[in-house]
Amino acid sequence: MTDRTAPPDARPPHPVPDATPDLSSRDPDWWRQAVVYQVYPRSFADADGDGLGDLRGVTRRLTHLAALGVDALWLSPFYPSELADGGYDVADPRDVDPRLGTLDDFDALVAEAHRLGLKVIVDIVPNHTSHRHVWFQEALRAGPGSPARDRYVFRDGKGERGELPPTDWQSVFGGSAWQRVPDGQWYLHLFAAEQPDLNWGHQEVRDDVRTTLRFWADRGVDGFRIDVAHALTKDLDEPLRDLGDHAAGGEEALVDFPPGTHPFYDRDEVHEVYRDWRKIFDAYSPPRMAVAEAWVPGERRALYARPDELGQAFNFEYLQAAWDAQELRQVITGSLDTARAAGASATWVLSNHDVVRHASRLMLPPDTDENAWLLSGGRAPAVDPDAGLRRARAATLLMLALPGSAYLYQGEELGLPEVADLPTEVLQDPIWEQTGHVRKGRDGCRVPLPWTTTGPSYGFGAAGAWLPQPPSFAAYAVEAQDGAEDSTLELYRRALRLRRKLIDGETLTWAEETPEGVLQFDRGDGWRCVANLSAGPVSLPAGEVLLASAPLEDGRLGPDTTVWLGH
């Protein structure tokens, strides 16, 4: 039996920088230019040897994050869950899943993070609960017309015997967004059937989430990432509207609806919720930060990021942009303008727990069907891992030079590619079953991290891992890259140390003339970034080379390479 009381690793694998960011109350706006590292707890580190990552595992590896040079970690859900959606089906939002630890373990994690100068951000999942939540179980027992059912969205079905769903609304995961219960009624679930949607018109629902926010803030949490922030409030007036050609779930559902009027996405009323939350955040010193996951167009996303609401929103246009200089320049300019208009800082992200890792994704032709590529096991088209890593490094250095906050996803500092060839029998993402084996899902970016070059799970834990790691992971392990001058891990460490010294203002100035396929901008703080997205080498402007994502070619900037220059 594994000893759960074993002490954390005595020494970090790399020296922790002496200079830690000022994350005290003297700098309440620390988040505006922070680098935030997303931890998917079940895949980060396993301290008890059961194959599943846990909070103790995270705590033992926090020195890795401190040595990396990030400002904060964002913990994806660690709450009690049956994992019908990777932890986003929450049975109790104010507790820890026993397989991942205890509240004492969480408190120890926060204390150690703060000791190392790291802020802690946690996920809040306010749109839905798990079907195992005590409220939903009470609603099932109480029956139609009961007050307990009012906390959720229950409706009678259509047809002679109510055998048809109340509307044609579709789940993001495929199929109807309605599930029938034994007594004949149907409940709404915009995601998995195990994730019933809450009724945000119900005061008790609003009060309970307020309690959850205070619960974690009182335990020392510094901020919140709001899951599906655009889907809380809904038009539930009878009769509910069928959507016809627009019934599909996802961002495309907003097409052809006047802004703020879709029945269940991005409704104007949702901003009342976030203005109310801001009062809670501002009652703490320093105020708690928040960032919205809102899959909406940029001008609508800005509303969530206003100072009297959440303050930041994820910039998915940047994540979705092709590796094309003109497109990226337009997205960067638009994102900065949108954030400025909202009084927020911009956010940048290349990978997360829901998308193909960018070391693979950026190498796919722009018209590639990513799901078809995953179903092919990553073979159609094949991706050259060396070329993908070179492009990913260049993309990262470009992102880290931009004004605003950068959100990193665990393992990208190792250059991990997508594990596209996971056999179907090991898949855990509900998308695979929900879509009738049509969409492969997101498991390929959630494969547990490699820490060492050997062992049953490459140092992830004492035994195997809940998703199989490919043998190629040994070469990407922290142990293999630590101290290796040209490694991706050391590139991230150098970039984050240098970024902390260079970044000051929140503006950039584009160069007047650049070769085709090249992005070049000056930062007001006295340095510039040049990224070559073309097929051939280009000459560099004058300046001292501070950092490059790949070696220069006879003093020229090669393809898929980014450089930072001092004036």
Side-chain angles (χ1 to χ4, degrees):
M1 182 174 179
T2 302
D3 180 12
R4 287 183 58 95
T5 65
D9 298 336
R11 295 181 62 83
H14 191 275
V16 177
D18 292 333
T20 55
D22 177 11
L23 302 183
S24 70
S25 58
R26 295 191 302 275
D27 184 12
D29 292 332
W30 63 269
W31 49 271
R32 292 187 68 91
Q33 300 245 53
V35 176
V36 180
Y37 184 101
Q38 181 188 359
V39 171
Y40 193 75
R42 291 167 174 82
S43 297
F44 191 69
D46 170 21
D48 63 8
D50 65 355
L52 195 67
D54 46 45
L55 295 187
R56 282 179 174 244
V58 176
T59 303
R60 293 183 184 190
R61 295 294 187 179
L62 286 177
T63 51
H64 171 73
L65 303 190
L68 190 61
V70 301
D71 300 305
L73 65 145
W74 150 31
L75 285 170
S76 290
F78 50 84
Y79 314 114
S81 170
E82 65 175 324
L83 304 182
D85 182 21
Y88 283 86
D89 48 313
V90 178
D92 184 347
R94 298 189 286 274
D95 204 353
V96 175
D97 191 305
R99 292 166 294 182
L100 273 65
T102 65
L103 283 170
D104 286 343
D105 292 332
F106 178 83
D107 293 340
L109 188 159
V110 172
E112 176 65 2
H114 287 168
R115 186 187 72 81
L116 292 169
L118 298 167
K119 290 287 193 182
V120 178
I121 298 167
V122 300
D123 245 303
I124 295 295
V125 187
N127 178 69
H128 46 261
T129 71
S130 166
H131 67 150
R132 294 185 174 182
H133 191 287
V134 292
W135 277 1
F136 193 74
Q137 290 300 307
E138 180 186 355
L140 292 180
R141 293 191 301 270
S146 62
R149 290 207 171 178
D150 286 344
R151 300 185 187 117
Y152 294 90
V153 184
F154 278 88
R155 290 293 186 275
D156 293 329
K158 294 180 179 178
E160 291 184 7
R161 294 174 298 278
E163 70 276 11
L164 301 176
T167 69
D168 61 2
W169 300 352
Q170 297 292 295
S171 162
V172 173
F173 291 161
S176 175
W178 296 94
Q179 178 73 24
R180 202 176 192 190
V181 298
D183 59 39
Q185 276 203 312
W186 300 73
Y187 67 86
L188 179 68
H189 61 92
L190 293 183
F191 294 87
E194 295 87 352
Q195 294 169 290
D197 278 49
L198 288 163
N199 171 18
W200 271 84
H202 196 294
Q203 190 61 44
E204 193 173 356
V205 169
R206 298 190 178 217
D207 290 343
D208 191 71
V209 177
R210 288 191 191 100
T211 299
T212 296
L213 295 172
R214 292 189 182 98
F215 178 87
W216 294 112
D218 289 344
R219 298 191 93 91
V221 160
D222 305 285
F224 302 95
R225 179 261 189 189
I226 311 304
D227 185 62
V228 209
H230 60 301
L232 274 59
T233 57
K234 301 171 177 68
D235 179 7
L236 299 177
D237 290 341
E238 297 291 350
L240 298 181
R241 292 180 275 166
D242 280 330
L243 297 179
D245 293 339
H246 308 294
E251 186 180 0
E252 63 273 14
L254 294 171
V255 176
D256 292 336
F257 281 88
T261 66
H262 188 278
F264 49 83
Y265 283 142
D266 191 37
R267 293 189 60 79
D268 288 336
E269 305 94 89
V270 77
H271 299 289
E272 300 172 8
V273 174
Y274 299 133
R275 282 190 287 272
D276 176 62
W277 289 10
R278 174 47 57 189
K279 296 174 185 176
I280 295 174
F281 302 152
D282 287 349
Y284 290 86
S285 180
R288 286 0 184 195
M289 61 79 69
V291 58
E293 181 207 27
W295 289 88
V296 298
E299 65 276 5
R300 294 291 296 179
R301 186 181 68 244
L303 303 179
Y304 296 82
R306 289 178 290 193
D308 66 339
E309 294 192 31
L310 298 177
Q312 273 193 340
F314 284 129
N315 177 3
F316 294 117
E317 283 95 337
Y318 185 74
L319 182 151
Q320 294 170 322
W323 186 243
D324 175 84
Q326 183 176 3
E327 181 177 346
L328 277 171
R329 177 167 174 164
Q330 291 174 346
V331 167
I332 291 168
T333 300
S335 300
L336 289 172
D337 289 346
T338 297
R340 191 177 303 111
S345 61
T347 64
W348 314 103
V349 61
L350 285 167
S351 286
N352 64 34
H353 65 291
D354 282 333
V355 301
V356 172
R357 285 186 176 273
H358 68 276
S360 299
R361 187 185 73 250
L362 291 176
M363 292 303 299
L364 298 175
D367 58 350
T368 301
D369 181 332
E370 291 183 7
N371 180 60
W373 178 75
L374 289 171
L375 289 172
S376 77
R379 291 184 287 271
V383 171
D384 179 342
D386 293 333
L389 180 57
R390 180 184 179 103
R391 186 168 288 184
R393 287 162 60 106
T396 293
L397 214 55
L398 170 62
M399 176 180 72
L400 291 176
L402 296 171
S405 295
Y407 285 79
L408 310 180
Y409 179 52
Q410 65 177 42
E412 70 171 80
E413 78 278 15
L414 306 178
L416 290 183
E418 184 80 0
V419 184
D421 59 353
L422 286 171
T424 56
E425 61 267 21
V426 306
L427 297 181
Q428 304 288 321
D429 193 334
I431 288 177
W432 176 243
E433 295 295 339
Q434 188 92 0
T435 62
H437 300 175
V438 171
R439 290 167 56 196
K440 194 170 184 180
R442 302 158 293 180
D443 290 309
C445 67
R446 300 176 179 182
V447 175
L449 298 191
W451 295 92
T452 61
T453 57
T454 59
S457 59
Y458 302 106
F460 169 68
W466 67 281
L467 281 172
Q469 303 150 301
S472 61
F473 264 31
Y476 292 97
V478 174
E479 181 182 54
Q481 298 193 46
D482 183 36
E485 184 177 353
D486 295 330
S487 71
T488 301
L489 175 58
E490 292 299 340
L491 174 68
Y492 269 74
R493 286 171 172 168
R494 289 194 298 272
L496 294 179
R497 286 196 298 268
L498 188 56
R499 182 184 188 273
R500 184 168 291 165
K501 295 177 181 177
L502 294 174
I503 291 244
D504 185 11
E506 295 185 20
T507 61
L508 62 74
T509 303
W510 293 105
E512 292 291 338
E513 296 183 7
T514 57
E516 185 175 355
V518 173
L519 290 171
Q520 179 180 326
F521 54 84
D522 286 358
R523 293 299 306 272
D525 359 52
W527 59 293
R528 66 171 45 127
C529 176
V530 186
N532 182 8
L533 285 66
S534 73
V538 297
S539 298
L540 280 172
E544 175 193 0
V545 174
L546 303 175
L547 187 62
S549 64
L552 301 184
E553 301 180 6
D554 295 324
R556 307 182 78 200
L557 191 65
D560 291 343
T561 306
T562 299
V563 66
W564 293 357
L565 299 173
H567 286 276

